[in-house]
Amino acid sequence: MTFPRKERSQADLVEALADGTGRDARFIAAKCPEVTQFIVSWIREAAHVGNWARVDKFANLAAPLLVPGLGGALREILDSDVAGLNKEDLVEILGEIREVDAVACLFRVAEGSVNKDAPAYWLCQKVISSLGGIGTPEAFECIRRMAAQSWPDAVRWHAAVELEIEDELGFDEDQMLG
């Protein structure tokens, strides 16, 4: 998919204005009102060509604007399991925007990364946090599954903390943070 010249130049302008954090989202939306209309398609286009820096920058810009369709685009990208993608940012954004339709996708990300994420399990931690932010019964059920014996202790501990059941599971905080 490619965009007409005018839309491509708008995307380039918005990318140049964005700092990658989303703090400037309201300013950019005021300066370039079309951003909310096009940014999801710009994210998909950037993903299609493997421009992960642009995906990340636009996703961080779209999140505080609560752009419709953002969650769907991020789920598609995460489910594609492509190399070179900073999954952590997209996982965090799905939690920030409370994308209820992302619960299964987030759990798949954790399952797919757990063997590669050791020893700190940063991606799993972000999945747990995002699921907690989404806060649906389905999200909490996924967190409960991550607190099960089949998961590494560090992941289980973070899941238990999110569920506020770490004492129930007999975790020693000093040992876990060690």
Side-chain angles (χ1 to χ4, degrees):
M1 162 185 359
T2 57
F3 296 108
R5 183 182 166 113
K6 182 178 182 203
E7 190 174 331
R8 181 176 306 281
S9 65
Q10 289 171 326
D12 293 341
L13 170 65
V14 168
E15 183 177 23
L17 291 172
D19 69 0
T21 66
R23 288 188 292 261
D24 50 4
R26 300 275 176 241
F27 167 78
I28 292 171
K31 187 169 182 76
C32 306
E34 65 279 355
V35 71
T36 57
Q37 179 184 353
F38 295 122
I39 199 159
V40 171
S41 61
W42 296 342
I43 290 168
R44 285 189 168 108
E45 171 72 10
H48 178 73
V49 298
N51 186 342
W52 305 120
R54 191 174 217 180
V55 167
D56 195 51
K57 191 176 264 195
F58 283 163
N60 277 296
L61 177 62
L65 298 173
L66 299 174
V67 174
L70 174 62
L74 299 185
R75 288 192 325 267
E76 289 168 17
I77 294 167
L78 287 170
D79 277 336
S80 71
D81 199 31
V82 295
L85 170 66
N86 178 355
K87 292 179 182 178
E88 290 180 13
D89 281 355
L90 302 188
V91 164
E92 277 186 314
I93 290 168
L94 288 170
E96 287 170 21
I97 64 172
R98 292 180 167 78
E99 178 64 33
V100 296
D101 293 334
V103 170
C105 171
L106 290 169
F107 189 73
R108 284 190 298 273
V109 167
E111 286 180 311
S113 73
V114 71
N115 293 326
K116 302 173 252 179
D117 203 18
Y121 300 98
W122 296 116
L123 185 55
C124 287
Q125 287 183 51
K126 292 193 182 215
V127 166
I128 291 165
S129 178
S130 288
L131 289 169
I134 292 169
T136 63
E138 181 187 14
F140 285 121
E141 179 55 33
C142 288
I143 298 170
R144 272 189 281 288
R145 289 172 59 191
M146 294 174 78
Q149 288 288 343
S150 59
W151 288 78
D153 283 346
V155 174
R156 293 179 60 234
W157 185 75
H158 286 287
V161 168
E162 186 69 35
L163 295 169
E164 299 178 353
I165 61 169
E166 65 270 26
D167 292 336
E168 253 177 68
L169 296 183
F171 283 110
D172 178 346
E173 184 173 353
D174 292 334
Q175 180 184 359
M176 293 311 299
L177 296 177

